[in-house]
Amino acid sequence: MRVLILNADYPRFVAWLYQRNPELAGTPYATQMAARNASLFGVADFYSRNFAAAGHVAADIHVNNPWMWAAWAREHGIAVERPPAPGSDAPRQAIPNWLQRGIAPFKPVLRPLARKVGLSPRLDAEAEKILLAQIEEFRPDLVLNQDVFHVDARLARRIKGIGRPILIGQIGIVPSRGEDWSAYDLMISQLFQVVRTFRNAGVRSEVLHLAFEPDILDVLPPAPERSIDISFVGAVSADHQQRVAQLEAVARTYDLKLYGSGLHTLPASSPLHRCYQGEVWGVEMYQVLRTSRVTLNSHIDMAGREAGNMRLFEATGVGSFLLTDAKDNLPSLFEPGREVAVWTSVEDCLSEIKAALDDEDRRQAIARAGQARTMAQHTYRQRVQTLLRLAADLPASR
């Protein structure tokens, strides 16, 4: 099959990537794609490389990257507005059109914020035209849409009309009511509450968890010495009230190193301000995890009683000791106390940190067991194999 993966990146990551490599914006499309994948951020090319390893032709499109799709358009004779150079000093309050369509927040919890500042996660007409041209050229048999906000239901129906591909959507939150998901042959999510919502609406849906790519270990720099006692990588915001309470308690007792975004949303009195180390993406994020004796995980509040975020697999995949929040389905992913450590309350979290720092042998044993479990059951190769089985069971889409 010809498999196309549609994705979108956090706007802060896109800005970081191109500001760090200002010349990248003017390079060919393939060069930009290679640099994006080499960053190892998010899912990178982990799905496409494993579809290819299974014998299929696979490609990625990052739908909200203005420099990347502008390069593709130029190479295919399509006239487009050229995005300004990365790092432009244009006033933040005067948000230009290219930024609105290019790096509008796509993470579900950021959608209300996007509306407040006049941004929309939907693609504008020019970006949509280029995306459809890319799909027309590739002519996929299967499309995996991992961003149902930029590529919304209306656009999904247009994609479905290009050769009638199998269309699979991935979403990590309960969908908005009233959306027409009929263009999709299958919706997948790491949360059963999401799957149940789709099934109740008459849409075929299955649980499929996130994963880790073992090839990461072959390209990361040598493992650093574990010089960080306790780390947390991720966002803090009003959508993470449990997380903030946990991290603040840890910060009052231990030397927590906090990496991520959203700190400006917390009051000046929060102890997390003195813990802040900046943002880390991809390779740098993995190195922070590998440098940590203990790395913490806490799901977003809307996840409820279910586990399934990326940190579960990223931290265990690189061999780090993970202390994560207890969830009803966690034992189906990792064995608590043997493959990951688990906390059920703030006080419990503090006790688990002390126990881990005091017992290096136990800490290392849990880290090794967690990594072995991830390598055995939670890789992108296995997720792709599951997707292929699910696709084979779908009614003929053509």
Side-chain angles (χ1 to χ4, degrees), residues 181-182 184-187 195 198-205:
W181 303 99
S182 60
Y184 286 92
D185 300 287
L186 175 69
M187 298 298 296
V195 168
F198 279 115
R199 289 176 177 175
N200 290 341
V203 179
R204 180 163 183 177
S205 186

Side-chain angles (χ1 to χ4, degrees), residues 40 42-43 45-47 49-50 211-218 286 313-314 317-318 374-375 378-381:
L40 302 183
V43 300
D45 63 343
F46 304 148
Y47 278 106
R49 73 169 67 181
N50 282 284
F212 178 75
E213 177 49 56
D215 288 351
I216 287 174
L217 299 177
D218 297 328
Y286 287 115
F313 309 107
E314 292 167 336
V318 296
T374 290
M375 295 303 178
H378 302 309
T379 67
Y380 282 99
R381 177 183 178 184

Side-chain angles (χ1 to χ4, degrees), residues 72 76 78 128-138 162:
W72 187 92
H76 289 77
I78 301 175
E128 184 175 308
K129 178 182 72 173
I130 295 169
L131 173 60
L132 293 173
Q134 289 176 293
I135 295 171
E136 189 75 53
E137 181 194 57
F138 189 78
I162 303 175

Side-chain angles (χ1 to χ4, degrees), residues 315-384:
T316 56
V318 296
S320 296
F321 174 91
L322 180 65
L323 175 54
T324 188
D325 44 349
K327 298 291 184 181
D328 293 344
N329 67 326
L330 183 62
S332 68
L333 300 171
F334 295 96
E335 183 178 339
R338 195 183 78 83
E339 297 170 336
V340 295
V342 175
W343 60 272
T344 57
S345 67
V346 169
E347 294 74 18
D348 190 35
C349 180
L350 297 177
S351 297
E352 288 290 336
I353 290 173
K354 184 179 187 305
L357 295 178
D358 288 347
D359 191 341
E360 183 175 353
D361 289 342
R362 173 178 174 269
R363 190 176 72 241
Q364 291 182 355
I366 289 176
R368 287 193 297 269
Q371 186 177 44
R373 178 67 175 269
T374 290
M375 295 303 178
Q377 296 186 6
H378 302 309
T379 67
Y380 282 99
R381 177 183 178 184
Q382 291 154 331
R383 301 299 187 251
V384 162

